[in-house]
Amino acid sequence: MTAASGGERADARRNRAKMLSVASELFAEHELEVPLGEIARRAGVGAGTVYRHFPTKQALLEAVFVQHLEELVASGERRMVGFAPTQAFFGFLMHVVEKSGRRGHLCEVVAADASWPHPMLTASVQRFRQVLTALLQAAQRVGGVRADLSPDDVVAVAVGCTSMLTTRRDRAAGRRLVQLVLDGLRPSADVTERSVFRDDLVSSPGRVELCADCGVKLPLRPTGRPARYCGPTCRQRARRRRLAG
Amino acid sequence: MTAASGGERADARRNRAKMLSVASELFAEHELEVPLGEIARRAGVGAGTVYRHFPTKQALLEAVFVQHLEELVASGERRMVGFAPTQAFFGFLMHVVEKSGRRGHLCEVVAADASWPHPMLTASVQRFRQVLTALLQAAQRVGGVRADLSPDDVVAVAVGCTSMLTTRRDRAAGRRLVQLVLDGLRPSADVTERSVFRDDLVSSPGRVELCADCGVKLPLRPTGRPARYCGPTCRQRARRRRLAG
Amino acid sequence: MTAASGGERADARRNRAKMLSVASELFAEHELEVPLGEIARRAGVGAGTVYRHFPTKQALLEAVFVQHLEELVASGERRMVGFAPTQAFFGFLMHVVEKSGRRGHLCEVVAADASWPHPMLTASVQRFRQVLTALLQAAQRVGGVRADLSPDDVVAVAVGCTSMLTTRRDRAAGRRLVQLVLDGLRPSADVTERSVFRDDLVSSPGRVELCADCGVKLPLRPTGRPARYCGPTCRQRARRRRLAG
Amino acid sequence: MTAASGGERADARRNRAKMLSVASELFAEHELEVPLGEIARRAGVGAGTVYRHFPTKQALLEAVFVQHLEELVASGERRMVGFAPTQAFFGFLMHVVEKSGRRGHLCEVVAADASWPHPMLTASVQRFRQVLTALLQAAQRVGGVRADLSPDDVVAVAVGCTSMLTTRRDRAAGRRLVQLVLDGLRPSADVTERSVFRDDLVSSPGRVELCADCGVKLPLRPTGRPARYCGPTCRQRARRRRLAG
DNA sequence: TATGAATGAGTCTTCATTCAT
DNA sequence: CATGAATGAAGACTCATTCAT
């Protein structure tokens, strides 16, 4: 229909994208129990076309997973520069959990030191782990996350939260639960105060009663201007980062 | 229902138990992706025998699930009398998580208001929920668990922890994580510590045939039409040759 | 329970009879598509018991068929002595059709000169054919049935009528049809008069407008005592038979 | 519905036609007792191909039946214009009987008021009934067929004649019988003549194993648990020996 | 290159038949 | 001798994958 500029190439790319997104959705809902024919049908292409792009169902799965990881990596990298470490870490985690649907199970491969055949997958997994590790360590350095957590721990927690979210029928209630669990990753000193649910941490990260840098809980004073940081150290650190860009 | 008379019953009972335990293990590992023939083989019986006892794969699944729930219910009831409320609740939860393996996903039905066809399954689910609710409320009454948690919340957390546990390869580390998460359900927490890693993932090469055009080796796949060419190029070349002469 | 007179023998006989009757009914309805287990269950015995009495499903089938044939043979023999030839023949045929249900198909074996493995079956089939042939020839001798019909023809007609009867949902209508078809076996000279349906030939063989001996149609005179025979010959023949017993 | 575009369609159409004709023949001979694999094999295609064209065995059956009905309808319509009413009716009926083989039994659905799920089937059945009814009424109007016959009667007669024809081994004799029966539908009849016989029935012996106790030969049955003993006596003897030592 | 038809191994399920008790 | 559990071949059906067009 469209007068071709680069020839069929554009169509092929569009097809590939369509297949990926369709497969992504279906895998997220039905977790592998999806016939390839169904994917082809919904993508509006023939079965052969799927196989021209992805030589195996496994390959398609991997492509979906790689794409998913890349999106998460991008989101993580954005957070690394734009947010305070602790906020970045928790925001990232919540994002991962919310975006993964039932694909969370595939994430199990991420938990491995990962010698996986497919090179691209390995690369994506590694990049994901790097981002995750960086965010984790940064948050740990500023004391916003328990020091005894490894990246593998965090991955496992994320996968678990994913399935919590799909289990709890009430989506809002599910998010509250995830929030609660993620709060459990904060240093135990502040555990006493975690008792208020917050639904808005992700959507509007500015309005919180936690330290904007390290995420530690801030005492609520009835009077005066509400505190943004837990102390001078965090305030100074945040300022330096602001100035750096 | 209750088997009380003599005769060959003993054998049948033993068989049934064997099948159930085999199925339980396999479902716990592979989550429904288990051929019934495999279960039969491992239980040392014929396929027909499985069907004599469980008229459907679904029926077997339900039986496994019911048995699992009954065990959990029994454990929960024991805890109700022998332990302090908070300890009973957390002990029960940890027990549930540790025993459920990948069956945790089946537990999703538990999270529902649960109008399930099979009467026995429904009954078991209800009893499970009753026990869970009782333990939860008792613990909440003595202030050992956050007051804003519903039974559905707890079920979701349990399911999530189940998948955390199977994700984290290091069992000890997994348990520590679960502990951490469960502690998040307390109004104020006390936590334990530890950490390690592990991993494995394999890929199998397989015997090969040769491309009918270029002679390159072809992978033998267990399903689908056996390949004759190594790809479209060779196929096309062969076709041209066919058409030419 | 019962104090044994002849020991278990009585029970066994009763069981065998029960099985036969159950099997007979089920075969008549579902034409072979009956699991042996179902027969066992309905007869109130174990599967093994069926096999003790009938070493094969085929054997059971044969037994059922033999019993059915024996009943038909007995009925046929009764008719040979108690009725005029033509009446005997048509009455027998109608009886066969009505009693056979879907077992009619099994009757196909009867159409064969029948070198069948099972000796008892062969014997029964032969006896059945003998009775049928005798009735047919007697009726033909008195001119009540077309002379160009062979026993095989008659068997085929009977089988066909059987399936006519099961096809026509309305049982009465079905019987009328069968009657019509059977009337087609009478000498063609009288065809003109076959246009009235009679539902009562079988149940009350006395009230017919046909000759009570040879079955030829009788002219209906508006006055006088209704005729019973088509002429003196038949009347005399009938009388001799009455006197003979 | 109508295939008009080019491409591989031709092959597919050929395959579909082949399957239909193979299935039609086999159903006509064995009446549903045909494994789909057998149909596939004879049509020279894989099992999956059959399922691509007919999602269910039932669907295949219906397709066969629909095709059969359509052919009959076409034949009926041709007769409506080219023949005198009575001749058209009887010619059609004879045609139906001769073409239907054992499929006649499927025709039972035609006898029903016919609320059948499959729309196409229903449509075909209705068209068939319409043609049949039209032919019947036309013939009745000119006095060529008894006035007291309903379309349902005629269908039942046709089905019955079908099974007459398959029962009578001698095809010519069978046709003569059918002729005779159909003539019975006329107010007054004219008949044809003829007669012959034929037959065959086989039983297969099979390879044999030996009784584990007395060494007598055992018949090898294709299904069921393979026998180890020649009967209960030997089994019991063997058992006593086992228990003794 | 895209299409969708063909392939066939593998799954669930049934049922005739034998065996242990 | 009766019972019902066990057996396993065979049938319906699915779906990953390749091939002809």
Side-chain angles (χ1 to χ4, degrees), chain A residues 31 33 52 55-56 102 105 108-109 111-117 146 148-153 155-157 159-161 163-164 166-169 173 176-177 180-181 184-185 188 191-192 194-197, chain B residues 31 33 102 105 108 111-112 146 148-150 152-153 155-157 159-161 163-164 166-169 173 176-177 180-181 183-189 191-195 197-199 201 203 221 232:
Chain A
E31 196 169 339
E33 308 283 84
R52 173 166 295 276
T56 300
R102 288 197 196 285
H105 273 65
E108 291 187 8
V109 304
D113 298 29
S115 51
W116 192 260
R146 296 174 58 109
D148 58 357
L149 290 174
S150 70
D152 279 344
D153 287 329
V155 167
V157 167
V159 171
C161 287
S163 95
M164 243 176 253
T166 54
T167 298
R168 195 72 173 87
R169 300 278 215 270
R176 269 190 353 169
L177 273 186
L180 187 66
V181 166
L185 305 185
S188 52
V191 167
T192 338
R194 284 185 329 216
S195 49
V196 181
F197 279 122
Chain B
E31 196 167 342
E33 308 284 82
R102 288 201 196 288
H105 273 66
E108 290 187 8
R146 298 173 59 111
D148 56 0
L149 289 174
S150 71
D152 278 345
D153 287 329
V155 168
V157 167
V159 171
C161 287
S163 93
M164 244 176 252
T166 54
T167 299
R168 196 69 174 88
R169 299 277 214 275
R176 193 179 53 113
L177 273 186
L180 190 66
V181 167
D183 280 340
L185 307 183
R186 300 175 193 268
S188 75
V191 189
T192 345
E193 315 262 327
R194 268 166 307 178
S195 189
F197 277 127
R198 203 183 67 198
D199 171 57
L201 270 172
S203 90
R221 310 217 191 255

Side-chain angles (χ1 to χ4, degrees), chain B residues 17-29 34 36 39 60-61 64 103:
Chain B
K18 180 74 177 161
M19 284 178 235
L20 266 180
S21 82
V22 164
S24 183
E25 273 180 50
L26 287 178
F27 284 147
E29 279 177 54
V34 194
L36 274 196
I39 293 173
L60 174 54
L61 222 186
V64 165
R103 269 163 306 196

Side-chain angles (χ1 to χ4, degrees), chain A residues 59-136:
Chain A
L60 173 56
L61 223 187
E62 288 177 8
V64 165
F65 193 42
V66 162
Q67 178 187 259
H68 181 52
L69 284 177
E70 293 302 334
E71 287 168 9
L72 295 182
V73 163
S75 144
E77 283 171 342
R78 255 178 279 120
R79 276 166 218 276
M80 286 176 72
V81 298
F83 292 83
T86 304
Q87 249 178 43
F89 175 74
F90 283 106
F92 177 62
L93 225 51
M94 190 49 120
H95 181 79
V96 167
V97 169
E98 292 214 288
K99 289 297 181 195
S100 293
R102 288 197 196 285
R103 268 164 308 199
H105 273 65
L106 306 183
C107 284
E108 291 187 8
V109 304
V110 179
D113 298 29
S115 51
W116 192 260
H118 192 94
M120 219 173 133
L121 179 54
T122 308
S124 294
V125 167
Q126 279 178 353
R127 291 183 60 203
F128 178 81
R129 288 181 66 84
Q130 279 164 12
V131 168
L132 180 75
T133 304
L135 285 165
L136 171 62

